[in-house]
Amino acid sequence: MASIAVTPWRLVLTEAMKAELFGHLFPGDNDEHGAIILAGVCQTDRGLKLVARELHLAIDGKNYVPGRRGYRMLKGEFIQSRILRARDLKLAYLAIHNHGGTTSVGFSSDDFASHERGYPSLVDISRGMPVGALVFAQSAVAGDLWFEGGQRAPLKEAIVLGQRRELLYPAPSKQAHIKRPEYDRQSRMFGDRGQDILRSLRIGIIGLGGAGSILAELLGRLGVGEFVLADPDRAEVTNLPRLIGARTTDAIIEWLPRGLQQRFARFKVDMAARNIRRANPSATTTTLNSNFLDPEVAKHFVGCDYLFLAADTMGARLLFNAIVHQHGIPGVQVGAKVPVSSTGEVGDVFCVARKVTPGQGCLWCNGLINPSRLQDEATSDETRRGFAYVADPQVAAPSVITLNAIACAHAADEFLFHVTGLKNSDAQEEWFRWNSRKGTAGYDRPRSDAMCLECSRVDESRLGRGDFFPLPTRSK
């Protein structure tokens, strides 16, 4: 097993898990209670991230008892069964208890002494997987994580994912928020703190065609600070009307010799990056003019804070869905569908934005990944483009910029209200669907299969498994 880098770390957990944990830790008796979280380990270029997969509540008087050297302790039998499970599933082990207070919390000297006595042995038992502790107050959390060789690192922040994104820290941040005049009108809604949040985020966009180019423009103008962009295609004359900011000179001119086409036509990711920098010169972009399904490309997206899927192959849906649940990254799938019969009759025209949150139903559960098409894509010609919009790359599906704009504006708005905390906590988790011909909006409640191998908590699922579980990528 590759060594795990020792860095300040982040914890990701779902809103549902936090509610269950806090109901146990803070029942109103002002006493201390205990639990254990097992979490997937994700190593990225931004440091270590743990994704909470399992919550084990310690029963007072049975699993959580008076301590021999401190106030309370977890029983040895309870610890042993969970550390062995963490070892077998290649998960990190985190012991939990609570203290009083609201916005600040920290370990006591007794807590640290307990870690120093027990955690080196637990790291040995876990065969090198990280072992640590969390202590919660009502609106704060601190963490102490141990690695091989007695190395340790503190928790940087905890991210709670639900309808809105909540951040918990050991203590309130004292950093002043930067006021930027160019964002004055929008920051009047979500404040300078909200603008700082947008600037701190890394966003991944998969597919930079008609929908992806709109998303890049919208998010760039909102002030998002960092982008990862993937699309293998170059611009062609037929897609210039749908690519934001496109120039005639960007496109492949079909009558030119092939060598000149490849020399002069611009990659769609480079066009999107140009638009982002025009909107926000301080933004940074990573452009990947390759297939999202290539492992070297996919790994760039596991370090993102939010994903937008604007490519409509089944393979792209499968991998996006896997990253969301395995690495604890929320995302949204966008698209527009224009069915045309063999006689040329246009059917109902739909624009959709489907937000996918870890552990809350997925594209598999809702029948949005077609196994037959997935198989066709895997066995098709090597010349099939990675982001084709229909199963047959020789057939051009209808695509109109206004339809893409409806789906993308809704998806970007969902993202904005999620990350700035403005989304109502009791809002329904629903997927947006607009019928352009009828002028009607609909909302689909995503289904969740209790035995789903992607998003459920069954032992075989990928939910929260992190790096030590294979992603469904494919070689070039």
Side-chain angles (χ1 to χ4, degrees), residues 28-301:
D29 60 1
N30 296 314
D31 204 354
E32 185 178 299
H33 305 277
I36 291 172
I37 279 178
L38 304 186
V41 176
C42 307
Q43 297 189 88
T44 75
D45 61 337
R46 303 168 77 189
L48 184 65
K49 180 177 75 174
L50 301 186
V51 182
R53 171 179 165 86
E54 297 181 7
L55 173 62
H56 301 264
L57 303 178
I59 300 172
D60 291 329
K62 178 182 177 182
N63 310 128
Y64 200 60
V65 298
R68 289 189 291 268
R69 296 176 178 171
Y71 179 58
R72 292 278 193 270
M73 70 176 192
L74 293 167
K75 286 284 293 261
E77 297 86 345
F78 188 72
I79 294 172
Q80 182 182 33
S81 62
R82 274 67 182 181
I83 193 67
L84 292 177
R85 182 170 176 80
R87 178 198 68 189
D88 294 342
L89 295 178
K90 292 185 169 59
L91 301 172
Y93 165 100
L94 298 169
I96 298 167
H97 70 287
N98 61 291
H99 284 175
T102 305
T103 59
S104 298
V105 72
F107 294 102
S108 69
S109 58
D110 285 342
D111 292 334
F112 281 128
S114 173
H115 302 173
E116 290 159 7
R117 286 192 302 270
Y119 286 175
S121 297
L122 289 182
V123 171
D124 289 340
I125 294 171
S126 71
R127 295 176 184 164
M129 296 304 294
V131 167
L134 299 167
V135 57
F136 284 91
Q138 290 282 358
S139 299
V141 60
D144 181 27
L145 195 64
W146 286 64
F147 304 82
E148 287 185 305
Q151 300 181 87
R152 60 204 290 187
L155 176 71
K156 181 179 178 181
E157 64 184 9
I159 304 165
V160 182
L161 298 177
Q163 281 290 0
R164 55 187 180 186
R165 183 174 180 259
E166 179 187 5
L167 299 177
L168 300 176
Y169 301 98
S173 173
K174 296 181 180 179
Q175 182 176 351
H177 300 300
I178 301 172
K179 189 173 186 65
R180 297 181 62 180
E182 63 268 40
Y183 297 114
D184 175 69
R185 295 292 291 275
Q186 64 187 42
S187 63
R188 289 172 184 262
M189 181 174 73
F190 47 72
D192 294 331
R193 178 179 180 275
Q195 198 63 57
D196 283 349
I197 288 172
L198 290 170
R199 187 165 54 252
S200 71
L201 295 177
R202 178 187 291 179
I203 301 305
I205 304 178
I206 303 148
L208 276 301
S213 72
I214 295 171
L215 288 167
E217 180 76 15
L218 294 176
L219 298 169
R221 294 199 174 277
L222 282 173
V224 169
E226 189 173 355
F227 292 82
V228 179
L229 311 172
D231 192 313
D233 291 342
R234 296 176 185 266
E236 300 179 7
V237 170
T238 57
N239 46 52
L240 287 181
R242 299 185 307 282
L243 298 176
I244 298 297
R247 305 166 183 166
T248 303
T249 52
D250 290 328
I252 292 175
I253 309 300
E254 302 296 341
W255 49 263
L256 284 175
R258 183 67 178 171
L260 290 179
Q261 289 182 10
Q262 296 303 313
R263 180 178 175 184
F264 290 111
R266 190 176 293 272
F267 283 107
K268 292 178 180 178
V269 290
D270 294 331
M271 296 167 64
R274 180 180 68 197
N275 293 343
I276 290 168
R277 289 191 296 269
R278 184 186 66 235
N280 179 10
S282 65
T284 61
T285 57
T286 298
T287 54
L288 306 164
N289 56 336
S290 301
N291 195 318
F292 173 53
L293 299 181
D294 294 340
E296 289 303 305
V297 175
K299 72 180 184 181
H300 287 273
F301 288 87

Side-chain angles (χ1 to χ4, degrees), residues 293-350:
L293 299 181
D294 294 340
E296 289 303 305
V297 175
K299 72 180 184 181
H300 287 273
F301 288 87
V302 302
C304 291
D305 297 297
Y306 202 97
L307 301 178
F308 290 87
L309 176 62
D312 203 25
T313 62
M314 292 298 113
R317 289 189 184 188
L318 178 68
L319 179 53
F320 160 84
N321 195 66
I323 292 176
V324 166
H325 296 286
Q326 187 170 329
H327 290 270
I329 306 168
V332 60
Q333 182 249 332
V334 299
K337 184 176 182 180
V338 186
V340 180
S341 71
S342 57
T343 60
E345 183 178 351
V346 176
D348 282 342
V349 176
F350 288 106

